[in-house]
Amino acid sequence: MKRTLLAACAATLLLATSACGLGSESTGSEGPVSRVPELKPDQKVSIVFESYNFGQAGAWTDTFNELIAAFEKQHPNISVTAQKPQGNSANPATDTISSLQSQLTAGSPPDVVQLGFSDLDFTVNQLKALPLDDLVGKDAVQANFDGEQYPYAESARTLGDWNGKTYGVPFVFSTPMLYYNKQLFTQAGLDPENPPATWAEVRDAAKTIQQRTGKGGAYVDCLTKAAKDWCFQALVRSNGGRVLSEDRSTLTFAEEPSVEVVRVMQDMVKAGAMPNRTQMQAVESFARGDLGMILESSAIQGTFLKGAGDRWELGAAAMPSFDGKQAVPTNSGAALFVFSKDAAKQRAAWELIRFLTSERAYTTIATKIGYLPLRTGLVDDPDGLKQWAGENPYLEPNLKQLEHLEPWVSMPGANYLQIRDGMMQAVENAVYQGADPAESLRSVQEEATGLMQGGGK
Amino acid sequence: MTTEVVGESSRARRLGGHVVLGLLSLVCVFPIYWLYATSLRAPQDVSSLSVLPWPLSTASYTEAFAKNDVLGMLVNTGVVAVFSALGQLLVALLAAYAFAAWRFPFQRLLYLMFVGTWLVPFQATMLPNYVLLSRLGLLETLAGVIVPTLCSALGVLLLREHLNSFPKELLDAARMDGRTSWSALWTVVVPTLRPALAALGILLAISAWNEYFWPAMVLQRSNAVVQLGLRSFMGTEGNDWGPLMATAGLACLPVFALYLVLQRHIVNAFVRSGLK
Amino acid sequence: MVSGTFVEVAAPARNREAGTAGTAPASRESGWSRIRRLAPPYLYLVPAVVLLVVWTYQPLAQTFVLSTYSWNLVPSTPMVDVGLGNYERLLGTPELGRAVWRTVVVILGMLPFTVVIPVAVALLTRRVRGRAQGVYRALVFAPMLVAPVAGAAVWQWLLDPSAGAVNRVLGTDVNWLNTASTAQWSIIVITGWHVVGFAVLVVTAGLAGINPDYAAAAQVDGASRSQVTRWVTLPLLSPTLAFLALMTVLLSAQWTFPLIDTLTQGGPVSSTTNLYYLLWEYGFRSHDAGLAAAAGVLFFLGFIVVAALLTRLAARLSHHDD
């Protein structure tokens, strides 16, 4: 009895002293951010740059290293340490937010962080990314967007903005493209130079391919939880609907336009035009040449070209539209945010961002990795990317889509991830597992609405 | 070693045994064969699903070596595995000795504390541990990977079992000679326990070699251990299967070799303890 | 009272050595020598206990405390005290009940791999002679040595619907990992593949530890081989089997975790989301440190209950050879 008592006392003591392990010091938000002065030439600063692209050994890491080396040469007083997000997911992009959170708690967040657009609300309102307009002045930010010669595409400038202020400078993005296997098209008796332009045409072409060649027809990589909601939003917008009301107060993904989208896709699966595959299985299947068409992010293009090799030719087309309506693609991608506390580091961070989004950097990124440069004028510059653009026929549909591009809308509140995942789970359930689209979406929307109101903690 | 107590096996029974075991072994080994087969395929065939890799190509290995400092990673992982195992063995040995050789107050409670660690999920402790490591300045170091894992509950449990069945007469003899408990430990107990310690050490080393959760939290700026190096071939834009399989294949080899060499010890050690 | 090998035997030795020089009687032992007598076991335990406290129990306590707050881990954001609100939220999810059921399914599905197959293998290995035993054992143990990530990747290919080896051998075209009804079983089989070698090892050791005299005696009494196995060997093996069963119940959810994380991410439509994964997801996906902490604590408490029940059950059911 006495021993149990002693043990209980020890445990309580442990509990009491443990509270001083983690915790927040302040009572409320910090004051407004003030403008940071320029760095003096002999002022040494070292900053940390975190990007999920760093996790992968390959083109990105090499390109980043090249750019950082060039940056350090230009700014000898700034040294940059690069790192990938901390975490154990197979896909490092999944760990970006939790990595940032852990480091914020430990008191030493990275200075420049690359975060996806889907996390924008959380990044600005919860993680308190610094407003660049206040940090370096709105003119400086806009001057960077204008660049020396080639400004950002209009639709790309505001992707990292919140309530009129710029928090993140958009860095990379991609749009949904319809990739197709020209060889399979020919084998199925379809015209490889005339890819489908509407979803009805996609359905017919897919069925033809499936019947005549035995390979998979078409796969729309927008309908699973793993795919996130970026191109599902594109599909819904293309059908005239929205997943979130424009004032961000109501969820609308259970309304008729999105229900219809889900029904069309479910129909394709039922008719055998779309095989039941996970995102990974579908990408690999297409790269292997076992799938006719795939609606996929243009960022994966490199993988497809590699898989095609010299066995089959890759074709690319704009995202198909719904009959009678204009297709509205949304952008996937990420922006660069600043999280430093120290004024000198903040200034250094801004310099790095400016460098990474300069014409020179985009030229390197485009040629080495294949991403579309956000400074779209570069593709017309003979000294810039004109030659590369000529060699890269897939750019054409991508560039054309920019005109109708709309941003990937981030879900509101602290529970945004659960809302998004719930929505995509309902879509997946309907399309691949045969649940009723209207009912499936409606019940999840109800649950998620509760999360929205409860959010804001 | 085995006790064939019920007479000479008939041929048929032996054959039956071979068949079943053979099938099971095949199922166990086939995926491993696949791993190596994929690593030896030509780059464009990597996704191919044909059973035999042809043409053979070492391109994946070359790429793996080019993209990562593979030898360095293997050495680092080896360091982590060896030091983790040694550290865990030492700590476990001392603790098990205490439990086996004395009877003292709070013994049961302390024992439960060790068993309790099996019940604590990783996510309950990872964040505070990360913050503590950050404060100690051990992030991005191999020490930071090793230190939090030094107390192995499995080690303590197994060694305690072994020590409980340790012949008491040996210990008594040591006492008669007037030795302290410390010297008795090192001159009498450890030499007799050597096979068990070796076996446990190998299991702990293998476990540390394959560990990737904690290293992923601590080592953010480099792929110091090979499990992280594997992940560097996985990313947002698809996974690079060829070099990934090549690296994985290389990562398995040292452990395979170690196991084959020391297989007998492991089984013997388990046998002697008679896990009850 | 500290007693045991070292002290009990030491006492007479001390008396003998002391001889007639008048050793201090036990009742007037000096404080220092008392500590010296009582201290050793604790001293040996110090390194282990310090490590446990610093790296396991103190963080656990911190997590307990954190679970009563809602906080997004940003130092400048205040921690909002929500008392038991996080627990209510977790216990109130409809998903929780389903996840518990799926966990039970996982455990039941793993038992054949950790108990039934290893026993069969260990018994069969006794039939084959010499070298072959070592070879088979090594082959069956091999999956344990493969890195989890690589293992998952290979299995993903083997289970590929269009041309994976499994479908080719069986002649089917099921998408094993992406069909709600088969995903869970695929995960169980892959996890089982991983751990069967370890279980075989444990059972082999257990078998070898059984005194052969029992079986011999039964044979003398005229029992057939299978009768001996059934009535003598297996009961004597029960402590080992109980140990394996306990490990399976406690650790199978953890064993499946890396696989689920890499291959199915809890899907399709939550069919592979067992309790461990659900709590992980809930905590991780919500970016709310308090909720994540509550999930961890809930799991810990649940497990204590389960472990306690099982240990009691195991003690009652197993026959000990003493």
Side-chain angles (χ1 to χ4, degrees), chain A residues 240 327 364 412:
Chain A
T364 313

Side-chain angles (χ1 to χ4, degrees), chain B residues 34 50 53 65 67-68 80 87 94 99 102 110 114 165-166 172 178 182 187 192 203 223 243 248-249 253 260 266:
Chain B
W34 195 262
S50 63
F65 273 98
K67 297 265 173 66
N68 272 321
V80 169
L94 294 177
F99 282 123
W102 282 275
L110 283 168
F114 283 94
S165 47
F166 194 80
D172 294 352
W182 180 258
T187 56
T192 326
L203 282 178
N223 291 324
L253 287 178
L260 284 175
I266 298 181

Side-chain angles (χ1 to χ4, degrees), chain C residues 132-307:
Chain C
Q133 281 179 355
V135 169
Y136 282 127
R137 247 187 242 118
L139 290 178
V140 171
F141 192 73
M144 280 221 84
L145 306 171
V146 176
V149 167
V154 172
W155 272 104
Q156 199 188 343
W157 281 356
L158 290 177
L159 293 174
D160 185 274
S162 34
V166 170
N167 270 342
R168 276 206 237 156
V169 163
L170 294 178
T172 54
D173 63 353
V174 179
N175 192 342
W176 299 96
L177 287 171
N178 204 33
T179 310
S181 48
T182 56
Q184 181 85 299
W185 297 108
S186 312
I187 296 283
I188 290 175
V189 166
I190 302 175
T191 316
W193 171 80
H194 241 118
V195 302
V196 77
F198 172 72
V200 164
L201 204 64
V202 173
V203 173
T204 311
L207 268 185
I210 293 179
N211 198 325
D213 297 338
Y214 291 110
Q219 259 221 302
V220 165
D221 287 347
S224 77
R225 209 193 307 275
S226 60
Q227 279 176 327
V228 169
T229 311
R230 207 173 146 224
W231 296 108
V232 179
T233 318
L234 286 181
L236 285 175
L237 203 52
S238 53
T240 312
L241 298 182
F243 171 72
L244 279 175
L246 182 69
M247 266 195 88
T248 308
V249 171
L250 290 181
L251 296 178
S252 52
Q254 266 179 297
W255 289 336
T256 55
F257 181 75
L259 288 171
I260 297 177
D261 203 32
T262 320
L263 294 175
T264 60
Q265 291 92 46
V269 292
S270 304
S271 58
T272 53
T273 305
N274 57 37
L275 195 59
Y276 195 79
Y277 196 77
L278 179 76
L279 293 177
W280 169 272
E281 250 206 339
Y282 230 106
F284 182 79
R285 290 318 234 173
S286 71
H287 297 318
D288 181 340
L291 194 61
V297 168
L298 204 59
F299 203 73
F300 175 62
L301 292 178
F303 255 7
I304 290 184
V305 169
V306 168

Side-chain angles (χ1 to χ4, degrees), chain B residues 1-10 12-14 16-22 24-25 27-32 34-35 38 46-47 49-51 91 94-95 97-106 110 112-129 132-133 136 147-148 150-151 154 157 168 171-172 175-176 178-185 203 206 210 212-214 227 230-231 234 241 244-245 248 252 255-256 259-260 263 266-267 270-271 274-276, chain C residues 1-7 9-10 13 16-17 37 40-42 44-45 47-49 51-57 59-60 62-63 66 73 117 121 124-129 132-151 153-158 160 162-165 168 193 196 198 201-202 204-210 212 215-216 219 225 228 239-240 243 247 250-251 254 257-258 261-262 276 279-280 289 292 296-297 299-300 303-304 307 320-322:
Chain B
M1 183 207 78
T2 45
T3 49
E4 200 55 68
V5 293
V6 284
E8 228 6 279
S9 283
S10 69
R13 300 191 76 241
R14 253 209 322 262
H18 275 293
V19 166
V20 174
L21 287 174
L24 186 67
S25 306
V27 171
C28 282
V29 165
F30 187 69
I32 301 178
W34 195 262
L35 194 154
T38 309
V46 157
S47 300
L49 294 161
S50 63
V51 178
V91 170
L94 294 177
Y97 192 51
F99 282 123
W102 282 275
R103 236 163 291 292
F104 49 92
F106 296 119
L110 283 168
L112 282 180
M113 265 179 81
F114 283 94
V115 178
T117 57
W118 268 0
L119 306 171
V120 177
F122 179 68
Q123 57 261 46
T125 54
M126 63 178 199
L127 188 65
N129 281 347
L132 180 58
L133 268 192
L136 290 175
V147 166
L150 282 180
C151 181
L154 181 70
L157 261 58
K168 287 287 196 292
L171 278 176
D172 294 352
R175 287 328 270 112
M176 296 295 175
R179 285 182 216 247
T180 62
S181 58
W182 180 258
S183 89
L185 172 66
L203 282 178
I206 292 177
N210 280 338
Y212 76 101
F213 270 104
W214 185 240
Q227 306 299 334
L230 282 179
R231 284 186 342 137
M234 310 176 91
W241 294 117
L244 191 142
M245 289 296 148
C252 292
V255 237
F256 278 148
Y259 175 73
L260 284 175
Q263 190 203 162
I266 298 181
V267 180
F270 267 105
V271 168
L275 212 59
K276 292 208 177 100
Chain C
M1 253 320 271
V2 176
S3 63
T5 318
F6 287 102
V7 182
V9 178
R16 261 194 282 132
E17 280 166 0
R37 188 164 54 86
Y42 297 105
Y44 280 107
L45 278 173
V49 170
L51 283 168
L52 275 189
V53 167
V54 169
W55 297 104
T56 306
Y57 286 104
L60 189 63
Q62 284 179 328
T63 307
L66 188 58
L73 288 179
I117 294 182
V121 169
L124 284 172
T125 337
R126 290 196 307 178
R127 292 193 201 174
V128 301
R129 269 204 295 247
Q133 281 179 355
V135 169
Y136 282 127
R137 247 187 242 118
L139 290 178
V140 171
F141 192 73
M144 280 221 84
L145 306 171
V146 176
V149 167
V154 172
W155 272 104
Q156 199 188 343
W157 281 356
L158 290 177
D160 185 274
S162 34
R168 276 206 237 156
W193 171 80
V196 77
F198 172 72
L201 204 64
V202 173
T204 311
L207 268 185
I210 293 179
Q219 259 221 302
R225 209 193 307 275
V228 169
T240 312
F243 171 72
M247 266 195 88
L250 290 181
L251 296 178
Q254 266 179 297
F257 181 75
D261 203 32
T262 320
Y276 195 79
L279 293 177
W280 169 272
V297 168
F299 203 73
F300 175 62
F303 255 7
I304 290 184
H320 273 270
D321 181 14
D322 12 74

Side-chain angles (χ1 to χ4, degrees), chain A residues 315-338:
Chain A
M319 189 175 107
S321 61
F322 287 96
D323 257 327
K325 302 184 185 138
Q326 167 68 50
V328 179
T330 45
N331 64 283
S332 164
L336 297 171
F337 297 87
V338 175

Side-chain angles (χ1 to χ4, degrees), chain A residues 99-178:
Chain A
S99 164
L100 190 52
Q101 279 179 308
S102 306
Q103 294 177 83
L104 280 167
T105 312
S108 51
D111 300 285
V112 180
V113 186
Q114 182 177 344
L115 295 171
F117 291 117
S118 182
D119 307 314
L120 186 64
D121 188 323
F122 195 76
T123 308
V124 170
N125 295 317
Q126 294 279 331
L127 296 179
K128 307 280 195 286
L130 299 175
L132 297 172
D133 283 354
D134 294 340
L135 208 59
V136 297
K138 198 171 173 99
D139 323 321
V141 174
Q142 292 303 315
N144 183 44
F145 280 133
D146 292 332
E148 286 167 33
Q149 215 181 344
Y150 298 104
Y152 264 57
E154 269 314 307
S155 45
R157 285 170 95 112
T158 51
L159 294 174
D161 287 6
W162 192 263
N163 283 346
K165 269 200 195 162
T166 305
Y167 284 82
V169 179
F171 182 45
V172 285
F173 78 23
S174 56
T175 61
M177 299 258 286
L178 184 72

